[in-house]
Amino acid sequence: MSIQVKKAGLLTTVQDLGRVGYQKYGVIASGAMDPFALQAANMLVGNEPSAPGLEMTVLGPTLEFDAPHLISLCGADMTPTIDGTPVPLWRPVLVQPGSKLQLGSVKSGCRCYMAVAGGVDVPLTMNSHSTYLRAGIGGFHGRQLKADDELPVGRASTVGERIEAKLLRGGNGAGIGGGAHGGARDRAFSAAAWQPTSRMMPAYSRDPDVRVTEGAQQGLFDADTLDAFVASDYKVQPQSDRMGYRLAGPDLHMRERVELISEAVTFGTVQVPPDGQPIVLMADRQTTGGYPKIAQVISADLPLMAQAAIGANVRFRFVSLQEAQELNLIMQMELEQLQLGIRIHYI
Amino acid sequence: MLPLGDCAVLVQLGDNIDEVTHTKVRLLADYLDRHPFEGMVEYVPAFTTVTVYYDSLRLYRSYLQETADGDRIAAAAAAPASRLNAGGGGIEAEEEAYPYHVAVERLKRILRDIAVTGVSPPRMVEIPVCYGGEFGPDLEEVAERNGLSVEDVIEIHASGEYLVYMVGFAPGFPYLGGMSSRIAAPRRSTPRLAIPAGTVGIAGEQTGVYPIETPGGWQLIGRSPLALFLPEQSPPTLLEAGSVVRFYPITRAEYDRWEGRGL
């Protein structure tokens, strides 16, 4: 079973939840920029939340399916269609053999994730399926996808098989798809009528309000600078990538120039290089850094940051560490409940 | 100890880059290798700090399991999200149950226990380097700047013993201490866009070797045929924090015979 890449899109890579345990060797974590969307996508097709899927950036790929595949698309809206019919996001979708899934330019957001039941079947490198582009390892041959690639697909879980079977029978709200008449087999695809409750979704927005906690060197910045940091829009610059978001806005000044000793940085660290323009470190960040850290994006809002497109205006707001922890726990528990709910429903 | 966001604790073990602090960093790192605590994900040692990453949900639950009575565990485990959402979005648990707090408490306990354990002996790594020529385009500039001959620079560089204080910037990229100030040279004003893997460089009073091709501003003095990043092996890098490095000169012919092999 495999998926044919007809067009690769701008930057399509295989990602899971990252390379855990190797940062002490200087190996970057990588993984999905929007871990919420990837996890949700996996759960909708019966996968473990950490299964490898596709991260599609700004302009999506065109994929052809040689066999029936259960997929889901979560995250940015790239106006996906299968054989010309619009496909809903955030739902399990059974695609029939010979169908073509086409994703266009993003209408909202920046990255869309595709999970397929069984996961994209690529080998583990240092305990992860994630693509580490600069080192050329992990994912699909260590690189972004290109036309004519053939993506191997793993074996669907029991839950995945059940969801697939139900969509094939056309029961339980299935039936969105090309060709209004006839059985599921005659349509290009059938999508489930249900989706995760909107209550659990991150507050995705074109110009997101991103909550942050104090950075370790926040004290090096004067009060006016900290006021400006939260009172102003910071615009996402074109040089932003999976490594970090470069932002433009009022300069962030340190009270005095201090040489710092390098230490660990993490997903969401907001650091300020000497030019005063902040950088938010993302999935492909280096493991350590020496710039002062003014703030730290809370885990629950990393999806909002990851879906900010070039030109988006980001507004930061400080919250307490306690609130950040609560929001993170809630997000993780809700993802757990989604997985549990799907399992209970289908088994 | 300080939070690094809501998923990591930074443990500060000193204020200066020196061997005393480095030994403390290694003691904690060694201990965490042997006795990772429940909910710990990984750690990153640096010059004066060890940053410990944790899984919030696992820490939260393991705390509840350790301390709470059966009813509370059952309640927390059965309807976690609704429980958290109840009462205006706050966790009903006391401050002690917050993951950061649990991680700090576990690390405090570890720091108390650590004194009785020893640090493992440093690993010596000898790295062959073909100095100068196309591999070390800045060797002559480093020599001139310091009023030395090219041979002097090689001699001084290859006679040092270097301690890997930390690994960062790239997989297996060592921050080495112990270079003689007699061969120091500032970074280049314009960084090179691509420095080949294996290149040995100097920046200020530091020397280092690039494990993968990256951009960089160091003065390049030679290249090693050794692979420093080995993604298929465990550990995946030749150098780790705490390794001790010696460089030794090899000829171009030796370099060509060696290239691509491991140690």
Side-chain angles (χ1 to χ4, degrees):
Chain A
M1 299 237 283
S2 63
I3 299 170
Q4 284 278 339
V5 180
K6 292 296 175 187
K7 286 186 198 159
L10 187 66
L11 173 63
T12 305
T13 58
V14 175
Q15 300 291 345
D16 58 14
L17 292 180
R19 196 156 271 120
V20 171
Y22 292 86
Q23 290 198 85
K24 65 178 167 184
Y25 301 112
V27 177
I28 65 173
S30 310
M33 291 278 278
D34 180 347
F36 178 89
L38 175 67
Q39 291 180 82
N42 274 320
M43 290 171 181
L44 291 174
V45 297
N47 290 349
E48 282 305 310
S50 58
L54 296 184
E55 180 180 275
M56 308 175 284
T57 320
V58 179
L59 173 67
T62 301
L63 307 169
E64 197 176 289
F65 297 81
D66 68 341
H69 278 294
L70 181 67
I71 65 162
S72 68
L73 297 163
C74 294
D77 184 358
M78 295 178 169
T79 53
T81 56
I82 293 177
D83 293 353
T85 307
V87 187
L89 297 175
W90 304 97
R91 290 173 199 230
V93 175
L94 178 63
V95 189
Q96 288 302 329
S99 308
K100 217 182 265 180
L101 168 67
Q102 207 168 342
L103 293 113
S105 299
V106 274
K107 225 169 61 185
S108 65
C110 190
R111 296 172 172 86
C112 181
Y113 294 82
M114 187 187 94
V116 55
V120 181
D121 190 15
V122 294
L124 277 173
T125 307
M126 287 180 280
N127 213 22
S128 167
H129 301 98
S130 288
T131 313
Y132 177 0
L133 288 170
R134 191 180 278 287
I137 59 166
F140 189 81
H141 302 294
R143 58 167 172 80
Q144 68 182 89
L145 299 188
K146 55 186 193 204
D148 299 329
D149 282 344
E150 202 166 301
L151 298 177
V153 176
R155 240 196 95 154
S157 68
T158 312
V159 180
E161 283 174 357
R162 297 278 174 96
I163 300 172
E164 205 168 303
K166 229 168 203 176
L167 283 171
L168 197 59
R169 283 203 306 274
N172 188 36
I176 305 167
H181 305 290
R185 268 176 229 282
D186 303 325
R187 306 187 192 110
F189 71 93
S190 28
W194 56 272
Q195 65 181 90
T197 156
S198 59
R199 192 176 52 88
M200 71 176 287
M201 295 286 198
Y204 291 123
S205 156
R206 204 198 90 86
D207 299 310
D209 285 320
V210 172
R211 289 165 291 188
V212 293
T213 52
E214 250 177 61
Q217 285 81 36
Q218 199 198 65
L220 296 178
F221 297 88
D222 59 43
D224 288 350
T225 295
L226 289 172
D227 286 346
F229 178 65
V230 294
S232 321
D233 284 338
Y234 279 87
K235 199 181 265 300
V236 175
Q237 297 300 291
Q239 308 95 302
S240 302
D241 56 16
R242 282 184 42 89
M243 190 170 165
Y245 270 93
R246 288 172 182 274
L247 305 178
D251 276 340
L252 301 171
H253 297 293
M254 292 195 340
R255 280 187 281 121
E256 50 179 326
R257 177 72 86 234
V258 184
E259 275 297 310
L260 296 171
I261 296 173
S262 286
E263 59 188 31
V265 292
T266 192
F267 203 169
T269 299
V270 187
Q271 60 177 24
V272 183
D275 69 3
Q277 298 291 300
I279 298 172
V280 185
L281 298 177
M282 300 299 284
D284 281 355
R285 69 209 174 265
Q286 290 172 7
T287 55
T288 57
Y291 292 135
K293 303 183 270 291
I294 191 171
Q296 172 72 40
V297 176
I298 70 170
S299 296
D301 283 355
L302 287 171
L304 309 186
M305 200 68 230
Q307 295 294 357
I310 287 160
N313 289 310
V314 179
R315 203 50 98 83
F316 294 107
R317 180 161 68 84
F318 280 103
V319 295
S320 70
L321 181 63
Q322 290 223 344
E323 192 175 343
Q325 296 183 81
E326 286 169 16
L327 291 165
N328 183 29
L329 287 173
I330 289 168
M331 182 177 74
Q332 293 194 46
M333 288 176 175
E334 287 198 311
L335 278 167
E336 236 180 26
Q337 284 201 327
L338 173 64
Q339 187 177 27
L340 212 69
I342 292 171
R343 279 192 180 151
I344 290 169
H345 188 83
Y346 282 96
I347 289 189
Chain B
M1 292 191 222
L2 274 179
L4 176 63
D6 50 42
C7 292
V9 184
L10 182 140
V11 187
Q12 183 92 38
L13 294 160
D15 296 319
N16 295 304
I17 301 174
D18 55 46
E19 292 198 24
V20 175
T21 304
H22 174 73
T23 304
K24 290 182 188 166
V25 168
R26 284 196 55 214
L27 275 169
L28 179 53
D30 276 5
Y31 189 94
L32 293 174
D33 276 335
R34 282 180 281 120
H35 314 287
F37 61 84
E38 168 70 22
M40 174 181 139
V41 173
E42 64 179 317
Y43 69 86
V44 175
F47 287 115
T48 59
T49 58
V50 176
T51 301
V52 183
Y53 295 81
Y54 55 82
D55 178 326
S56 301
L57 199 49
R58 266 173 60 203
L59 268 190
Y60 176 63
R61 290 199 173 132
S62 79
Y63 173 83
L64 292 181
Q65 247 152 32
E66 257 181 28
T67 57
D69 56 84
D71 290 351
R72 253 174 75 201
I73 301 172
S82 55
R83 181 181 158 84
L84 278 167
N85 282 323
I91 292 186
E92 285 174 42
E94 57 276 39
E95 195 208 335
E96 286 72 40
Y98 280 76
Y100 175 71
H101 195 271
V102 179
V104 165
E105 287 305 313
R106 293 194 180 167
L107 283 163
K108 276 186 191 161
R109 218 179 301 160
I110 285 171
L111 290 174
R112 277 199 299 273
D113 292 348
I114 234 169
V116 292
T117 67
V119 65
S120 53
R123 207 164 59 91
M124 297 290 299
V125 183
E126 304 217 312
I127 297 181
V129 181
C130 179
Y131 288 98
E134 60 165 308
F135 294 158
D138 303 325
L139 181 62
E140 286 184 22
E141 193 185 322
V142 172
E144 254 171 59
R145 199 177 265 282
N146 290 288
L148 299 167
S149 69
V150 161
E151 289 72 26
D152 289 339
V153 174
I154 296 173
E155 158 81 32
I156 293 168
H157 191 261
S159 63
E161 204 167 79
Y162 304 93
L163 174 62
V164 180
Y165 275 101
M166 62 178 268
V167 168
F169 172 66
F173 182 89
Y175 287 85
L176 295 172
M179 193 185 80
S180 166
S181 56
R182 291 167 62 208
I183 55 172
R187 273 165 219 269
R188 293 168 56 85
S189 47
T190 320
R192 288 186 171 90
L193 289 177
I195 294 173
T199 300
V200 177
I202 287 176
E205 297 203 5
Q206 273 194 81
T207 183
V209 42
Y210 287 83
I212 60 171
E213 185 182 289
T214 46
W218 292 37
Q219 306 274 4
L220 312 182
I221 61 167
R223 198 184 298 171
S224 174
L226 271 193
L228 280 94
F229 178 42
L230 310 145
E232 307 300 329
Q233 289 181 25
S234 179
T237 57
L238 182 63
L239 302 175
E240 296 173 53
S243 302
V244 173
V245 174
R246 279 200 206 106
F247 296 102
Y248 65 94
I250 57 169
T251 63
R252 177 60 200 253
E254 286 170 313
Y255 177 96
D256 290 338
R257 279 201 298 277
W258 199 312
E259 201 172 5
R261 278 168 37 201
L263 247 193

